[in-house]
Amino acid sequence: MIQFIVTVKNDFRKVLLRELSREQLLGACRMEDTIQTNEEEKTEVLTVMEYYFNNITFITNGHIGSRYDALDASFFYITASPDVRHWVEEKNEPFGITLELDLEEHTANLQCSSIEDWMKINRLIPLNDFRNPN
């Protein structure tokens, strides 16, 4: 499995978390070969996530946007990344993807890392470690 988190720079309260299957991510990355996401589309995706995290109502596909639309937008954004594609094709072990949004600058930082590093980067503690610290 692949762990995926969307965070907002300087606001740890704003977060989306999702678990992805390797097949799901690999298939979407390969679809990118024919779609070729452009910068305008990436900007639109960032706007959707910005609206969601700033609690601004937005309409997408004829309905009021929700958490799921923001997750779908972030998934679309990461599948256009050559780094994500490299990790999903080259790494057999689970890994994590962090998409950090800077809502003031309207930019994003994308990083792939091992699960251990991903947990440290995002300051996460496994639940089983929390219950039994030994």
Side-chain angles (χ1 to χ4, degrees):
M1 293 305 287
I2 298 162
Q3 299 297 325
F4 175 45
I5 192 168
V6 181
T7 62
V8 174
K9 184 177 182 178
N10 300 325
D11 192 345
F12 67 91
R13 298 169 299 157
K14 295 180 179 180
V15 64
L16 291 171
L17 189 61
R18 183 175 182 181
E19 191 170 84
L20 305 169
S21 73
R22 182 172 304 282
E23 294 77 22
Q24 176 187 26
L25 186 55
L26 185 57
C29 286
R30 288 185 176 155
M31 282 180 56
E32 175 64 18
D33 292 341
T34 57
I35 296 170
Q36 294 297 309
T37 303
N38 62 41
E39 289 305 312
E40 182 180 329
E41 291 167 322
K42 288 181 184 179
T43 299
E44 288 176 18
V45 166
L46 289 177
T47 300
V48 166
M49 290 185 286
E50 181 179 332
Y51 281 15
Y52 171 76
F53 282 118
N54 285 322
N55 293 317
I56 299 170
T57 303
F58 62 98
I59 304 294
T60 182
N61 296 326
H63 68 276
I64 294 175
S66 68
R67 171 182 178 270
Y68 300 105
D69 295 303
L71 274 170
D72 287 346
S74 62
F75 180 75
F76 177 78
Y77 189 90
I78 66 167
T79 59
S81 167
D83 290 337
V84 170
R85 176 135 185 199
H86 169 77
W87 273 77
V88 77
E89 288 181 341
E90 302 291 325
K91 308 286 184 186
N92 290 325
E93 67 276 355
F95 67 93
I97 303 168
T98 302
L99 179 59
E100 181 185 53
L101 305 174
D102 185 332
L103 299 181
E104 293 174 10
E105 298 295 324
H106 198 68
T107 59
N109 181 33
L110 181 63
Q111 181 178 3
C112 297
S113 56
S114 69
I115 289 295
E116 295 80 20
D117 288 345
W118 179 83
M119 302 229 3
K120 288 176 191 172
I121 290 165
N122 295 294
R123 295 179 221 112
L124 298 172
I125 300 169
L127 189 55
N128 57 350
D129 290 350
F130 178 72
R131 290 183 183 167
N132 184 10
N134 295 327

